[in-house]
Amino acid sequence: MNKDKAIDRRGFLKMGVQAGGGMLALSAIPLQLLADDKVTEDEALAQAMGYKLDASTVDTARFPKRAGDAGANQFCHNCTLFAGAADAEYGPCSIFQNRLVSGKGWCNAWVAKPA
Ligand code: SF4
């Protein structure tokens, strides 16, 4: 009887290890997808928002918000909706459901990060 319980416990622990390994494998999938899920300029929302990977290429006639000296200092990396580090090449943006945008990019939803 005790031996059966010991086996049961051992079997339970094995199942736990296997389940843990499975969970690790499953949790790695979304991270991998997220790592490659960069917003592209040709997507409908990106086009509507004037998103550019390189902010210097923004059509300032269409998006005058980025015109002039003040506009020239607007980048995704200093936008309050950018969740990446200030020097990150890419980071999540809440406008794009936390998909990755370029730190040197810009879109018309830009809002200054609080100092
Ligand atoms: S909302 Fe901000 S971080 Fe997101 S794409 Fe526009 S400028 Fe970049």
Side-chain angles (χ1 to χ4, degrees):
M1 186 84 159
N2 281 344
K3 189 176 178 184
D4 288 343
K5 282 186 182 176
I7 290 170
D8 288 345
R9 264 185 260 143
R10 201 173 298 132
F12 180 77
L13 287 174
K14 274 186 185 174
M15 282 174 31
V17 169
Q18 288 168 347
M23 292 300 285
L24 279 174
L26 285 174
S27 67
I29 291 170
L31 289 175
Q32 182 62 39
L33 289 174
L34 184 65
D36 293 335
D37 195 13
K38 294 175 182 163
V39 175
T40 60
E41 294 178 359
D42 60 347
E43 295 175 28
L45 180 58
Q47 289 196 346
M49 300 304 291
Y51 172 70
K52 292 289 182 185
L53 291 160
D54 176 354
S56 70
T57 66
V58 170
D59 178 355
T60 53
R62 185 173 169 219
F63 298 102
K65 180 177 178 176
R66 193 162 193 289
D69 290 342
N73 290 319
Q74 297 175 5
F75 297 94
C76 290
H77 68 75
N78 61 18
C79 172
T80 196
L81 302 170
F82 185 76
D87 60 349
E89 190 177 353
Y90 284 88
C93 168
S94 55
I95 288 286
F96 291 99
Q97 288 91 34
N98 290 321
R99 291 174 60 220
L100 301 176
V101 296
S102 167
K104 294 177 181 169
W106 181 90
C107 92
N108 203 36
W110 183 89
V111 177
K113 210 174 262 244

